[in-house]
Amino acid sequence: MDVVTYDDVHISFTPEEWALLTPSQKSLYKEVMLETYRNLTAVGYKWEDHNIEEHFQNSQIHGR
């Protein structure tokens, strides 16, 4: 069985792409990514390789 990494499940939008999403699509993105973070944490994913706070702050800046 192959190991699943954060990069395998992370989805990133450019500001231009994000602007094209509807409010319901943005909400779904937030819900799915939050669930992904929780699931990875539950199976012992080590977050020191990825700065979740920085990602969250960047998302807030871009209205995500």
Short mmCIF file of all heavy atoms in Angstrom, two decimals:
data_model
loop_
_atom_site.label_atom_id
_atom_site.label_comp_id
_atom_site.label_asym_id
_atom_site.label_seq_id
_atom_site.Cartn_x
_atom_site.Cartn_y
_atom_site.Cartn_z
N MET A 1 0.84 -1.17 0.00
CA MET A 1 0.00 0.00 0.00
C MET A 1 0.90 1.25 0.00
O MET A 1 1.83 1.34 0.78
CB MET A 1 -0.91 -0.01 1.22
CG MET A 1 -1.79 1.23 1.30
SD MET A 1 -2.65 1.41 2.85
CE MET A 1 -4.13 0.51 2.52
N ASP A 2 0.61 2.20 -0.88
CA ASP A 2 1.38 3.44 -0.94
C ASP A 2 0.98 4.39 0.18
O ASP A 2 -0.17 4.40 0.62
CB ASP A 2 1.16 4.15 -2.28
CG ASP A 2 1.76 3.38 -3.44
OD1 ASP A 2 2.74 2.64 -3.21
OD2 ASP A 2 1.26 3.52 -4.57
N VAL A 3 1.92 5.20 0.62
CA VAL A 3 1.67 6.20 1.64
C VAL A 3 1.01 7.41 1.00
O VAL A 3 1.41 7.87 -0.06
CB VAL A 3 3.00 6.61 2.31
CG1 VAL A 3 2.78 7.75 3.29
CG2 VAL A 3 3.65 5.43 2.99
N VAL A 4 -0.03 7.92 1.64
CA VAL A 4 -0.71 9.13 1.18
C VAL A 4 -0.05 10.31 1.87
O VAL A 4 0.15 10.31 3.08
CB VAL A 4 -2.21 9.10 1.51
CG1 VAL A 4 -2.89 10.40 1.11
CG2 VAL A 4 -2.88 7.93 0.82
N THR A 5 0.30 11.32 1.09
CA THR A 5 0.94 12.51 1.66
C THR A 5 -0.02 13.69 1.65
O THR A 5 -1.06 13.66 0.96
CB THR A 5 2.20 12.90 0.87
OG1 THR A 5 1.79 13.35 -0.43
CG2 THR A 5 3.16 11.73 0.74
N TYR A 6 0.33 14.72 2.37
CA TYR A 6 -0.46 15.95 2.39
C TYR A 6 -0.63 16.49 0.97
O TYR A 6 -1.73 16.89 0.58
CB TYR A 6 0.26 16.98 3.27
CG TYR A 6 -0.38 18.35 3.26
CD1 TYR A 6 -1.51 18.61 4.02
CD2 TYR A 6 0.16 19.38 2.50
CE1 TYR A 6 -2.10 19.87 4.02
CE2 TYR A 6 -0.43 20.64 2.49
CZ TYR A 6 -1.54 20.87 3.26
OH TYR A 6 -2.12 22.11 3.25
N ASP A 7 0.42 16.46 0.19
CA ASP A 7 0.35 16.98 -1.17
C ASP A 7 -0.59 16.17 -2.06
O ASP A 7 -1.12 16.70 -3.04
CB ASP A 7 1.75 17.04 -1.80
CG ASP A 7 2.63 18.08 -1.12
OD1 ASP A 7 2.09 19.11 -0.66
OD2 ASP A 7 3.84 17.85 -1.03
N ASP A 8 -0.83 14.92 -1.71
CA ASP A 8 -1.77 14.09 -2.46
C ASP A 8 -3.21 14.54 -2.27
O ASP A 8 -4.05 14.34 -3.15
CB ASP A 8 -1.68 12.62 -2.05
CG ASP A 8 -0.37 11.97 -2.45
OD1 ASP A 8 0.25 12.42 -3.44
OD2 ASP A 8 0.03 11.01 -1.77
N VAL A 9 -3.52 15.12 -1.13
CA VAL A 9 -4.90 15.47 -0.81
C VAL A 9 -5.17 16.97 -0.74
O VAL A 9 -6.32 17.39 -0.68
CB VAL A 9 -5.35 14.81 0.51
CG1 VAL A 9 -5.34 13.30 0.38
CG2 VAL A 9 -4.49 15.26 1.67
N HIS A 10 -4.11 17.77 -0.77
CA HIS A 10 -4.27 19.22 -0.68
C HIS A 10 -4.65 19.80 -2.03
O HIS A 10 -4.10 19.42 -3.06
CB HIS A 10 -2.96 19.86 -0.20
CG HIS A 10 -2.99 21.35 -0.21
ND1 HIS A 10 -3.63 22.07 0.76
CD2 HIS A 10 -2.49 22.24 -1.08
CE1 HIS A 10 -3.51 23.36 0.49
NE2 HIS A 10 -2.83 23.48 -0.63
N ILE A 11 -5.61 20.71 -2.02
CA ILE A 11 -6.03 21.42 -3.23
C ILE A 11 -5.76 22.90 -3.00
O ILE A 11 -6.14 23.46 -1.99
CB ILE A 11 -7.52 21.20 -3.52
CG1 ILE A 11 -7.81 19.73 -3.71
CG2 ILE A 11 -7.95 22.00 -4.73
CD1 ILE A 11 -9.28 19.39 -3.75
N SER A 12 -5.09 23.50 -3.95
CA SER A 12 -4.77 24.92 -3.84
C SER A 12 -5.30 25.65 -5.07
O SER A 12 -5.12 25.19 -6.19
CB SER A 12 -3.26 25.11 -3.73
OG SER A 12 -2.95 26.46 -3.55
N PHE A 13 -5.95 26.77 -4.82
CA PHE A 13 -6.47 27.60 -5.89
C PHE A 13 -5.67 28.89 -5.99
O PHE A 13 -5.27 29.44 -4.96
CB PHE A 13 -7.94 27.98 -5.64
CG PHE A 13 -8.88 26.82 -5.66
CD1 PHE A 13 -9.32 26.24 -4.48
CD2 PHE A 13 -9.35 26.32 -6.85
CE1 PHE A 13 -10.20 25.17 -4.49
CE2 PHE A 13 -10.24 25.26 -6.89
CZ PHE A 13 -10.67 24.68 -5.70
N THR A 14 -5.48 29.38 -7.19
CA THR A 14 -4.93 30.72 -7.35
C THR A 14 -6.03 31.71 -6.97
O THR A 14 -7.22 31.34 -6.96
CB THR A 14 -4.49 30.98 -8.81
OG1 THR A 14 -5.66 31.00 -9.63
CG2 THR A 14 -3.49 29.95 -9.30
N PRO A 15 -5.68 32.96 -6.67
CA PRO A 15 -6.73 33.95 -6.38
C PRO A 15 -7.73 34.07 -7.53
O PRO A 15 -8.93 34.24 -7.30
CB PRO A 15 -5.95 35.24 -6.17
CG PRO A 15 -4.60 34.78 -5.69
CD PRO A 15 -4.34 33.50 -6.44
N GLU A 16 -7.26 33.95 -8.75
CA GLU A 16 -8.15 34.05 -9.91
C GLU A 16 -9.13 32.87 -9.95
O GLU A 16 -10.32 33.05 -10.23
CB GLU A 16 -7.34 34.11 -11.21
CG GLU A 16 -6.50 35.35 -11.36
CD GLU A 16 -5.17 35.30 -10.60
OE1 GLU A 16 -4.76 34.20 -10.13
OE2 GLU A 16 -4.56 36.36 -10.45
N GLU A 17 -8.61 31.67 -9.69
CA GLU A 17 -9.47 30.49 -9.68
C GLU A 17 -10.49 30.58 -8.55
O GLU A 17 -11.66 30.25 -8.73
CB GLU A 17 -8.64 29.22 -9.52
CG GLU A 17 -7.77 28.89 -10.71
CD GLU A 17 -6.78 27.79 -10.43
OE1 GLU A 17 -6.31 27.66 -9.27
OE2 GLU A 17 -6.46 27.06 -11.39
N TRP A 18 -10.02 31.02 -7.38
CA TRP A 18 -10.89 31.14 -6.21
C TRP A 18 -12.04 32.10 -6.49
O TRP A 18 -13.18 31.85 -6.11
CB TRP A 18 -10.08 31.60 -5.00
CG TRP A 18 -10.89 31.61 -3.75
CD1 TRP A 18 -11.42 32.70 -3.12
CD2 TRP A 18 -11.29 30.50 -2.96
NE1 TRP A 18 -12.11 32.33 -2.00
CE2 TRP A 18 -12.05 30.97 -1.87
CE3 TRP A 18 -11.07 29.13 -3.07
CZ2 TRP A 18 -12.60 30.14 -0.91
CZ3 TRP A 18 -11.62 28.29 -2.10
CH2 TRP A 18 -12.37 28.81 -1.04
N ALA A 19 -11.76 33.18 -7.19
CA ALA A 19 -12.79 34.18 -7.51
C ALA A 19 -13.88 33.61 -8.41
O ALA A 19 -15.02 34.11 -8.41
CB ALA A 19 -12.15 35.40 -8.18
N LEU A 20 -13.58 32.56 -9.16
CA LEU A 20 -14.56 31.96 -10.06
C LEU A 20 -15.50 30.98 -9.36
O LEU A 20 -16.54 30.60 -9.91
CB LEU A 20 -13.85 31.24 -11.21
CG LEU A 20 -13.04 32.12 -12.16
CD1 LEU A 20 -12.26 31.26 -13.15
CD2 LEU A 20 -13.95 33.11 -12.88
N LEU A 21 -15.16 30.57 -8.15
CA LEU A 21 -16.00 29.62 -7.42
C LEU A 21 -17.23 30.31 -6.85
O LEU A 21 -17.18 31.47 -6.44
CB LEU A 21 -15.22 28.97 -6.29
CG LEU A 21 -14.01 28.13 -6.67
CD1 LEU A 21 -13.31 27.62 -5.42
CD2 LEU A 21 -14.40 26.99 -7.58
N THR A 22 -18.33 29.57 -6.79
CA THR A 22 -19.54 30.08 -6.15
C THR A 22 -19.37 29.99 -4.63
O THR A 22 -18.51 29.23 -4.14
CB THR A 22 -20.77 29.25 -6.57
OG1 THR A 22 -20.63 27.92 -6.03
CG2 THR A 22 -20.93 29.22 -8.08
N PRO A 23 -20.19 30.72 -3.88
CA PRO A 23 -20.10 30.60 -2.41
C PRO A 23 -20.28 29.16 -1.91
O PRO A 23 -19.59 28.75 -0.98
CB PRO A 23 -21.24 31.50 -1.92
CG PRO A 23 -21.35 32.55 -2.98
CD PRO A 23 -21.12 31.79 -4.28
N SER A 24 -21.15 28.39 -2.53
CA SER A 24 -21.33 27.01 -2.08
C SER A 24 -20.10 26.16 -2.39
O SER A 24 -19.75 25.26 -1.61
CB SER A 24 -22.59 26.39 -2.68
OG SER A 24 -22.50 26.33 -4.08
N GLN A 25 -19.42 26.41 -3.50
CA GLN A 25 -18.19 25.69 -3.82
C GLN A 25 -17.08 26.05 -2.83
O GLN A 25 -16.32 25.18 -2.40
CB GLN A 25 -17.74 25.99 -5.24
CG GLN A 25 -18.63 25.38 -6.31
CD GLN A 25 -18.31 25.88 -7.69
OE1 GLN A 25 -18.02 27.06 -7.90
NE2 GLN A 25 -18.35 24.96 -8.66
N LYS A 26 -17.00 27.32 -2.45
CA LYS A 26 -16.00 27.75 -1.47
C LYS A 26 -16.27 27.09 -0.12
O LYS A 26 -15.35 26.64 0.56
CB LYS A 26 -16.00 29.27 -1.35
CG LYS A 26 -15.48 29.97 -2.58
CD LYS A 26 -15.60 31.48 -2.46
CE LYS A 26 -15.14 32.16 -3.73
NZ LYS A 26 -15.29 33.63 -3.66
N SER A 27 -17.53 27.04 0.26
CA SER A 27 -17.91 26.41 1.52
C SER A 27 -17.56 24.92 1.51
O SER A 27 -17.03 24.39 2.49
CB SER A 27 -19.40 26.61 1.77
OG SER A 27 -19.78 26.00 2.97
N LEU A 28 -17.86 24.26 0.40
CA LEU A 28 -17.53 22.84 0.28
C LEU A 28 -16.02 22.62 0.39
O LEU A 28 -15.56 21.71 1.07
CB LEU A 28 -18.06 22.28 -1.04
CG LEU A 28 -17.72 20.81 -1.32
CD1 LEU A 28 -18.32 19.90 -0.25
CD2 LEU A 28 -18.23 20.43 -2.71
N TYR A 29 -15.24 23.47 -0.27
CA TYR A 29 -13.78 23.38 -0.20
C TYR A 29 -13.32 23.47 1.26
O TYR A 29 -12.51 22.65 1.72
CB TYR A 29 -13.13 24.50 -1.02
CG TYR A 29 -11.66 24.66 -0.76
CD1 TYR A 29 -10.73 23.85 -1.42
CD2 TYR A 29 -11.18 25.60 0.14
CE1 TYR A 29 -9.38 23.99 -1.18
CE2 TYR A 29 -9.83 25.74 0.38
CZ TYR A 29 -8.93 24.93 -0.28
OH TYR A 29 -7.59 25.07 -0.03
N LYS A 30 -13.83 24.45 1.98
CA LYS A 30 -13.43 24.62 3.39
C LYS A 30 -13.78 23.39 4.21
O LYS A 30 -12.97 22.92 5.01
CB LYS A 30 -14.12 25.86 3.97
CG LYS A 30 -13.62 27.16 3.40
CD LYS A 30 -14.42 28.33 3.95
CE LYS A 30 -14.12 29.61 3.24
NZ LYS A 30 -14.93 30.73 3.74
N GLU A 31 -15.00 22.87 4.02
CA GLU A 31 -15.43 21.69 4.77
C GLU A 31 -14.55 20.47 4.46
O GLU A 31 -14.15 19.74 5.36
CB GLU A 31 -16.88 21.38 4.45
CG GLU A 31 -17.86 22.39 4.99
CD GLU A 31 -19.28 22.14 4.51
OE1 GLU A 31 -19.59 20.99 4.12
OE2 GLU A 31 -20.08 23.09 4.51
N VAL A 32 -14.27 20.25 3.18
CA VAL A 32 -13.47 19.10 2.77
C VAL A 32 -12.04 19.21 3.29
O VAL A 32 -11.47 18.23 3.79
CB VAL A 32 -13.51 18.92 1.24
CG1 VAL A 32 -12.48 17.90 0.78
CG2 VAL A 32 -14.90 18.53 0.78
N MET A 33 -11.44 20.38 3.18
CA MET A 33 -10.07 20.54 3.65
C MET A 33 -9.99 20.40 5.17
O MET A 33 -9.05 19.79 5.69
CB MET A 33 -9.48 21.87 3.19
CG MET A 33 -9.22 21.92 1.69
SD MET A 33 -8.27 20.52 1.01
CE MET A 33 -6.72 20.70 1.86
N LEU A 34 -10.97 20.91 5.90
CA LEU A 34 -10.98 20.76 7.35
C LEU A 34 -11.08 19.28 7.72
O LEU A 34 -10.37 18.79 8.60
CB LEU A 34 -12.12 21.55 7.97
CG LEU A 34 -12.22 21.51 9.49
CD1 LEU A 34 -10.93 22.02 10.14
CD2 LEU A 34 -13.40 22.34 9.96
N GLU A 35 -11.95 18.56 7.03
CA GLU A 35 -12.07 17.12 7.28
C GLU A 35 -10.77 16.40 6.94
O GLU A 35 -10.34 15.50 7.66
CB GLU A 35 -13.22 16.53 6.46
CG GLU A 35 -13.43 15.06 6.71
CD GLU A 35 -14.60 14.48 5.95
OE1 GLU A 35 -15.29 15.20 5.21
OE2 GLU A 35 -14.82 13.26 6.10
N THR A 36 -10.12 16.82 5.86
CA THR A 36 -8.84 16.23 5.47
C THR A 36 -7.79 16.45 6.56
O THR A 36 -7.07 15.52 6.94
CB THR A 36 -8.36 16.82 4.14
OG1 THR A 36 -9.33 16.50 3.13
CG2 THR A 36 -7.00 16.28 3.74
N TYR A 37 -7.70 17.67 7.08
CA TYR A 37 -6.75 17.96 8.16
C TYR A 37 -7.04 17.09 9.38
O TYR A 37 -6.13 16.54 9.99
CB TYR A 37 -6.80 19.43 8.57
CG TYR A 37 -6.38 20.39 7.49
CD1 TYR A 37 -6.99 21.63 7.38
CD2 TYR A 37 -5.37 20.09 6.57
CE1 TYR A 37 -6.60 22.54 6.40
CE2 TYR A 37 -4.99 20.98 5.59
CZ TYR A 37 -5.61 22.21 5.51
OH TYR A 37 -5.23 23.10 4.55
N ARG A 38 -8.31 16.97 9.73
CA ARG A 38 -8.68 16.15 10.89
C ARG A 38 -8.32 14.68 10.66
O ARG A 38 -7.79 14.02 11.57
CB ARG A 38 -10.18 16.27 11.16
CG ARG A 38 -10.58 17.59 11.74
CD ARG A 38 -12.07 17.62 12.01
NE ARG A 38 -12.49 18.90 12.51
CZ ARG A 38 -13.65 19.47 12.23
NH1 ARG A 38 -14.54 18.86 11.47
NH2 ARG A 38 -13.94 20.65 12.73
N ASN A 39 -8.63 14.17 9.48
CA ASN A 39 -8.33 12.77 9.19
C ASN A 39 -6.83 12.49 9.20
O ASN A 39 -6.38 11.47 9.74
CB ASN A 39 -8.93 12.35 7.85
CG ASN A 39 -10.44 12.27 7.88
OD1 ASN A 39 -11.05 12.14 8.94
ND2 ASN A 39 -11.06 12.38 6.72
N LEU A 40 -6.06 13.37 8.60
CA LEU A 40 -4.61 13.18 8.60
C LEU A 40 -4.04 13.25 10.01
O LEU A 40 -3.15 12.48 10.37
CB LEU A 40 -3.93 14.22 7.69
CG LEU A 40 -4.11 13.99 6.19
CD1 LEU A 40 -3.59 15.19 5.40
CD2 LEU A 40 -3.39 12.72 5.75
N THR A 41 -4.57 14.15 10.82
CA THR A 41 -4.13 14.26 12.21
C THR A 41 -4.49 12.98 12.97
O THR A 41 -3.68 12.47 13.75
CB THR A 41 -4.78 15.48 12.89
OG1 THR A 41 -4.36 16.67 12.19
CG2 THR A 41 -4.37 15.59 14.35
N ALA A 42 -5.67 12.45 12.71
CA ALA A 42 -6.12 11.24 13.40
C ALA A 42 -5.24 10.03 13.10
O ALA A 42 -5.11 9.15 13.95
CB ALA A 42 -7.57 10.94 13.02
N VAL A 43 -4.65 9.99 11.92
CA VAL A 43 -3.79 8.86 11.58
C VAL A 43 -2.31 9.15 11.86
O VAL A 43 -1.43 8.42 11.44
CB VAL A 43 -3.98 8.38 10.12
CG1 VAL A 43 -5.40 7.89 9.90
CG2 VAL A 43 -3.60 9.46 9.12
N GLY A 44 -2.06 10.26 12.56
CA GLY A 44 -0.71 10.54 13.01
C GLY A 44 0.15 11.36 12.08
O GLY A 44 1.38 11.34 12.19
N TYR A 45 -0.45 12.08 11.15
CA TYR A 45 0.35 12.90 10.23
C TYR A 45 1.13 13.94 11.03
O TYR A 45 0.60 14.54 11.95
CB TYR A 45 -0.56 13.60 9.22
CG TYR A 45 0.22 14.34 8.15
CD1 TYR A 45 0.75 13.66 7.06
CD2 TYR A 45 0.45 15.70 8.25
CE1 TYR A 45 1.48 14.32 6.09
CE2 TYR A 45 1.18 16.37 7.28
CZ TYR A 45 1.68 15.68 6.21
OH TYR A 45 2.41 16.33 5.26
N LYS A 46 2.38 14.13 10.67
CA LYS A 46 3.26 15.09 11.35
C LYS A 46 3.20 16.43 10.63
O LYS A 46 3.67 16.57 9.51
CB LYS A 46 4.70 14.57 11.38
CG LYS A 46 4.85 13.23 12.04
CD LYS A 46 4.46 13.30 13.50
CE LYS A 46 4.67 11.94 14.16
NZ LYS A 46 3.90 11.75 15.33
N TRP A 47 2.61 17.43 11.27
CA TRP A 47 2.37 18.73 10.64
C TRP A 47 3.59 19.63 10.62
O TRP A 47 3.54 20.69 10.01
CB TRP A 47 1.21 19.45 11.32
CG TRP A 47 -0.08 18.77 11.04
CD1 TRP A 47 -0.82 18.03 11.92
CD2 TRP A 47 -0.76 18.70 9.80
NE1 TRP A 47 -1.93 17.52 11.29
CE2 TRP A 47 -1.92 17.92 9.99
CE3 TRP A 47 -0.51 19.22 8.54
CZ2 TRP A 47 -2.82 17.67 8.96
CZ3 TRP A 47 -1.41 18.97 7.52
CH2 TRP A 47 -2.56 18.19 7.74
N GLU A 48 4.70 19.25 11.22
CA GLU A 48 5.86 20.14 11.21
C GLU A 48 6.38 20.38 9.79
O GLU A 48 7.04 21.37 9.53
CB GLU A 48 6.99 19.64 12.11
CG GLU A 48 7.56 18.31 11.74
CD GLU A 48 6.93 17.14 12.48
OE1 GLU A 48 5.96 17.33 13.23
OE2 GLU A 48 7.40 16.01 12.30
N ASP A 49 6.04 19.48 8.86
CA ASP A 49 6.47 19.67 7.48
C ASP A 49 5.63 20.69 6.72
O ASP A 49 6.02 21.18 5.68
CB ASP A 49 6.42 18.34 6.71
CG ASP A 49 7.44 17.34 7.24
OD1 ASP A 49 8.41 17.79 7.88
OD2 ASP A 49 7.24 16.14 7.04
N HIS A 50 4.45 20.98 7.24
CA HIS A 50 3.55 21.92 6.58
C HIS A 50 2.98 22.86 7.64
O HIS A 50 2.47 22.42 8.65
CB HIS A 50 2.40 21.18 5.90
CG HIS A 50 2.86 20.37 4.75
ND1 HIS A 50 3.23 19.06 4.88
CD2 HIS A 50 3.03 20.69 3.45
CE1 HIS A 50 3.60 18.59 3.70
NE2 HIS A 50 3.50 19.56 2.82
N ASN A 51 3.08 24.15 7.39
CA ASN A 51 2.61 25.13 8.35
C ASN A 51 1.13 25.39 8.12
O ASN A 51 0.75 26.19 7.28
CB ASN A 51 3.42 26.42 8.22
CG ASN A 51 3.12 27.40 9.32
OD1 ASN A 51 2.04 27.36 9.94
ND2 ASN A 51 4.05 28.29 9.59
N ILE A 52 0.28 24.72 8.89
CA ILE A 52 -1.17 24.84 8.74
C ILE A 52 -1.62 26.26 9.06
O ILE A 52 -2.49 26.80 8.38
CB ILE A 52 -1.88 23.82 9.65
CG1 ILE A 52 -1.70 22.43 9.09
CG2 ILE A 52 -3.36 24.14 9.81
CD1 ILE A 52 -2.26 22.23 7.70
N GLU A 53 -1.05 26.87 10.09
CA GLU A 53 -1.45 28.23 10.43
C GLU A 53 -1.16 29.18 9.28
O GLU A 53 -1.98 30.04 8.95
CB GLU A 53 -0.72 28.71 11.69
CG GLU A 53 -1.29 28.12 12.96
CD GLU A 53 -0.65 28.75 14.19
OE1 GLU A 53 -0.24 29.92 14.13
OE2 GLU A 53 -0.58 28.05 15.20
N GLU A 54 -0.01 29.04 8.65
CA GLU A 54 0.33 29.89 7.51
C GLU A 54 -0.65 29.67 6.36
O GLU A 54 -1.11 30.62 5.74
CB GLU A 54 1.75 29.60 7.04
CG GLU A 54 2.20 30.48 5.89
CD GLU A 54 3.63 30.16 5.48
OE1 GLU A 54 4.51 30.11 6.36
OE2 GLU A 54 3.84 29.96 4.28
N HIS A 55 -0.99 28.41 6.09
CA HIS A 55 -1.95 28.11 5.03
C HIS A 55 -3.30 28.74 5.35
O HIS A 55 -3.94 29.35 4.50
CB HIS A 55 -2.11 26.60 4.85
CG HIS A 55 -3.18 26.23 3.87
ND1 HIS A 55 -3.02 26.41 2.52
CD2 HIS A 55 -4.42 25.73 4.06
CE1 HIS A 55 -4.13 26.02 1.91
NE2 HIS A 55 -4.98 25.60 2.83
N PHE A 56 -3.74 28.62 6.62
CA PHE A 56 -5.02 29.19 7.03
C PHE A 56 -5.00 30.70 6.88
O PHE A 56 -5.95 31.29 6.37
CB PHE A 56 -5.33 28.79 8.47
CG PHE A 56 -6.61 29.39 8.98
CD1 PHE A 56 -7.83 28.87 8.56
CD2 PHE A 56 -6.60 30.46 9.86
CE1 PHE A 56 -9.02 29.41 9.02
CE2 PHE A 56 -7.78 31.00 10.32
CZ PHE A 56 -8.99 30.48 9.90
N GLN A 57 -3.92 31.35 7.32
CA GLN A 57 -3.83 32.80 7.21
C GLN A 57 -3.83 33.24 5.75
O GLN A 57 -4.49 34.22 5.39
CB GLN A 57 -2.57 33.31 7.92
CG GLN A 57 -2.68 33.20 9.42
CD GLN A 57 -1.36 33.47 10.14
OE1 GLN A 57 -0.32 33.62 9.50
NE2 GLN A 57 -1.40 33.51 11.45
N ASN A 58 -3.13 32.53 4.89
CA ASN A 58 -3.14 32.86 3.46
C ASN A 58 -4.53 32.68 2.89
O ASN A 58 -4.97 33.46 2.04
CB ASN A 58 -2.14 31.99 2.69
CG ASN A 58 -0.72 32.38 2.96
OD1 ASN A 58 -0.42 33.49 3.38
ND2 ASN A 58 0.19 31.46 2.71
N SER A 59 -5.25 31.67 3.35
CA SER A 59 -6.60 31.45 2.88
C SER A 59 -7.50 32.60 3.30
O SER A 59 -8.34 33.06 2.54
CB SER A 59 -7.15 30.14 3.45
OG SER A 59 -6.44 29.05 2.94
N GLN A 60 -7.33 33.08 4.52
CA GLN A 60 -8.13 34.19 5.01
C GLN A 60 -7.85 35.47 4.21
O GLN A 60 -8.76 36.21 3.90
CB GLN A 60 -7.85 34.45 6.50
CG GLN A 60 -8.26 33.32 7.40
CD GLN A 60 -9.75 33.12 7.44
OE1 GLN A 60 -10.32 32.42 6.60
NE2 GLN A 60 -10.39 33.75 8.37
N ILE A 61 -6.60 35.70 3.88
CA ILE A 61 -6.21 36.88 3.10
C ILE A 61 -6.91 36.87 1.76
O ILE A 61 -7.37 37.90 1.27
CB ILE A 61 -4.68 36.94 2.92
CG1 ILE A 61 -4.02 37.25 4.25
CG2 ILE A 61 -4.28 37.97 1.87
CD1 ILE A 61 -2.51 37.07 4.25
N HIS A 62 -7.02 35.70 1.15
CA HIS A 62 -7.62 35.58 -0.18
C HIS A 62 -9.12 35.33 -0.12
O HIS A 62 -9.73 34.99 -1.13
CB HIS A 62 -6.94 34.46 -0.97
CG HIS A 62 -5.51 34.75 -1.26
ND1 HIS A 62 -5.10 35.77 -2.07
CD2 HIS A 62 -4.38 34.15 -0.83
CE1 HIS A 62 -3.77 35.78 -2.13
NE2 HIS A 62 -3.32 34.82 -1.38
N GLY A 63 -9.71 35.46 1.07
CA GLY A 63 -11.15 35.26 1.21
C GLY A 63 -11.60 33.83 1.13
O GLY A 63 -12.73 33.55 0.81
N ARG A 64 -10.74 32.91 1.44
CA ARG A 64 -11.08 31.49 1.37
C ARG A 64 -11.59 31.02 2.70
O ARG A 64 -11.25 31.42 3.72
CB ARG A 64 -9.86 30.66 0.97
CG ARG A 64 -9.39 31.02 -0.39
CD ARG A 64 -8.23 30.17 -0.79
NE ARG A 64 -7.54 30.84 -1.89
CZ ARG A 64 -6.36 30.57 -2.30
NH1 ARG A 64 -5.65 29.65 -1.73
NH2 ARG A 64 -5.82 31.21 -3.29
#
